[in-house]
């Protein structure tokens, strides 16, 4: 079959990195660099720093700058480093975006403002204001289950008109709605929901922004390639192989909790400390995690 290779500005396999922390709760910058290097060595051509999985709700602006600098220093010449810059305060998001781009971020991820439930005109203004303030490409993040507000189709069509807004991280779960926007715009689509990675790729997504990618980067890289080459049988095999791992990281408790536990179990980070209100995985949850990773051949 003919291979198609759509543009993927941010890369094809990105993981929303956890933020390694010491047992006392301080950010572990050396651990962050080790993790980033591990991911770059294992199938990734992009990384998201300071996303939800990186505990962006509880890290400080200063810590976020340090984290981006550390990742850029470690792997910025090998992968696209994308910084999460979204908050529910547009002025804060603009300042964060400018600071993180100055620190070396090559792209920005802007989530829908959460909690304050803006109207669609406010969502549009928020995202375009951030994009206007920086000179790197922007990926907008649609995850209404967390934010309380979906990015509606008409808003996505308007966002697509902005020269720097080039991609969507989709965790909305509306596959047909996604296909409709892909058919009407040049927005690059990224699956932001690991259970739906294959479905999104099969209908035209250019890549994934993953949590399970912490443990399955090479597998997702092969899946992306298989779909691009029209080898859906192989892509389906990989999808099914990873079902236990996806369940283990995404369906036992919160994803950042389990991703940190997995990285500690695999010896990539030293501590699974996570800031409240999140809690470290329990012994029983870690046992279930190990079982899932083993069943998927990842441990």
């Amino acid at each position: 079959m003919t291979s198609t290779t759509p543009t993927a500005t941010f890369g094809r396999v990105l993981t929303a990195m956890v933020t390694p922390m010491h047992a006392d709760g301080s950010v572990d910058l050396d651990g962050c660099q080790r993790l980033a290097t591990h991911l770059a060595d294992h199938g990734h051509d992009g990384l998201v720093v300071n996303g939800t999985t990186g505990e962006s709700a509880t890290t400080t602006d200063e810590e976020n700058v340090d984290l981006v600098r550390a990742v850029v220093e470690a792997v910025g010449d090998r992968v696209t480093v994308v910084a999460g810059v979204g908050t529910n305060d547009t002025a804060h998001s603009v300042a964060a975006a400018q600071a993180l781009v100055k620190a070396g971020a090559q792209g920005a991820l802007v989530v829908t403002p959460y909690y304050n439930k803006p109207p669609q005109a406010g969502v549009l203004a928020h995202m375009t204001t951030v994009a206007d303030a920086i000179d790197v490409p922007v990926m907008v993040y649609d995850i209404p289950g967390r934010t309380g507000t979906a990015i509606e189709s008409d808003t996505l069509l308007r966002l697509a008109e902005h020269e720097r807004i080039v991609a969507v991280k989709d965790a909305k779960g509306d596959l047909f709605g996604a296909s409709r926007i892909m058919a009407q715009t040049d927005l690059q689509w990224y699956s932001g929901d690991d259970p739906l990675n294959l479905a999104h790729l099969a209908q035209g997504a250019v890549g994934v922004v993953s949590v399970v990618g912490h443990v399955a980067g090479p597998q997702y890289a092969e899946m992306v390639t298989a779909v691009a080459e029209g080898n859906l049988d192989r892509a389906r095999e990989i999808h099914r192989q990873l079902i236990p791992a996806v369940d283990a990281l995404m369906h036992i408790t919160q994803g950042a909790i389990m991703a940190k536990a997995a990285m500690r179990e695999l010896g990539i980070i030293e501590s699974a400390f996570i800031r409240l209100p999140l809690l470290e995985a329990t012994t029983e949850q870690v046992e279930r995690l190990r079982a899932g990773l083993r069943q998927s051949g990842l441990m």
Side-chain angles (χ1 to χ4, degrees):
M1 286 191 170
T2 301
S3 174
T4 58
T5 308
T7 299
T9 297
F10 302 96
R12 301 192 185 281
V13 178
L14 295 85
T15 275
M17 278 180 50
V18 298
T19 297
M21 295 176 183
H22 298 292
D24 65 0
S26 60
V27 170
D28 179 1
L29 292 176
D30 289 338
C32 181
Q33 291 191 319
R34 287 195 305 273
L35 174 58
T37 300
H38 170 80
L39 295 173
D41 288 343
H42 290 82
H44 292 74
D45 53 2
L47 295 173
V48 174
V49 184
N50 187 39
T52 306
T53 309
E55 299 175 71
S56 58
T58 52
T59 54
T60 68
D61 291 343
E62 294 77 13
E63 287 171 333
N64 296 337
V65 168
D66 289 342
L67 285 163
V68 167
R69 284 179 176 155
V71 173
V72 169
E73 179 183 310
V75 297
D77 59 340
R78 301 171 57 194
V79 305
T80 302
V81 178
V82 181
V85 305
T87 72
N88 61 350
D89 172 354
T90 303
H92 186 186
S93 296
V94 165
Q98 291 173 331
L100 294 175
V101 169
K102 184 177 180 181
Q106 300 149 316
L109 178 71
V110 184
V111 71
T112 315
Y114 39 84
Y115 186 72
N116 41 19
K117 285 195 169 182
Q120 290 298 301
V123 173
L124 176 67
H126 173 85
M127 292 180 165
T128 55
T129 297
V130 175
D132 285 340
I134 52 179
D135 60 0
V136 299
V138 170
M139 178 188 298
V140 298
Y141 185 11
D142 192 5
I143 182 166
R146 285 189 184 275
T147 66
T149 304
I151 308 177
E152 294 179 2
S153 295
D154 287 347
T155 305
L156 285 164
L157 294 174
R158 294 285 305 279
L159 289 168
E161 297 171 1
H162 195 288
E163 63 179 349
R164 278 185 292 282
I165 297 175
V166 300
V168 177
K169 178 185 176 185
D170 184 354
K172 183 157 52 182
D174 180 3
L175 289 166
F176 188 68
S179 65
R180 184 187 294 117
I181 299 301
M182 281 188 268
Q184 294 181 62
T185 73
D186 292 328
L187 287 169
Q188 300 163 31
W189 220 259
Y190 287 81
S191 172
D193 187 5
D194 282 307
L196 295 182
N197 283 347
L198 176 58
H200 275 299
L201 290 167
Q203 67 172 15
V206 302
V208 301
V209 180
S210 176
V211 175
V212 180
H214 281 93
V215 298
Q219 290 78 12
Y220 280 138
E222 185 181 356
M223 180 190 287
V224 169
T225 298
V227 172
E229 294 177 348
N231 188 353
L232 289 180
D233 286 343
R234 178 56 185 148
R236 193 181 302 113
E237 288 176 0
I238 298 167
H239 168 79
R240 291 176 176 173
Q241 172 198 344
L242 292 178
I243 286 172
V246 173
D247 274 334
L249 269 76
M250 305 306 297
H251 297 150
I252 292 175
T253 184
Q254 201 265 4
I257 294 172
M258 297 310 289
K260 275 195 166 179
M263 292 294 88
R264 182 184 61 184
E265 288 300 304
L266 295 174
I268 310 303
I269 63 177
E270 295 179 358
S271 168
F273 182 93
I274 197 160
R275 289 179 179 173
L276 287 169
L278 301 181
L279 295 165
E280 284 191 45
T282 65
T283 300
E284 186 270 339
Q285 289 168 341
V286 171
E287 285 300 323
R288 293 172 63 189
L289 168 67
R290 290 172 182 154
L293 295 179
R294 290 191 189 104
Q295 289 172 39
S296 288
L298 302 175
M299 189 177 187

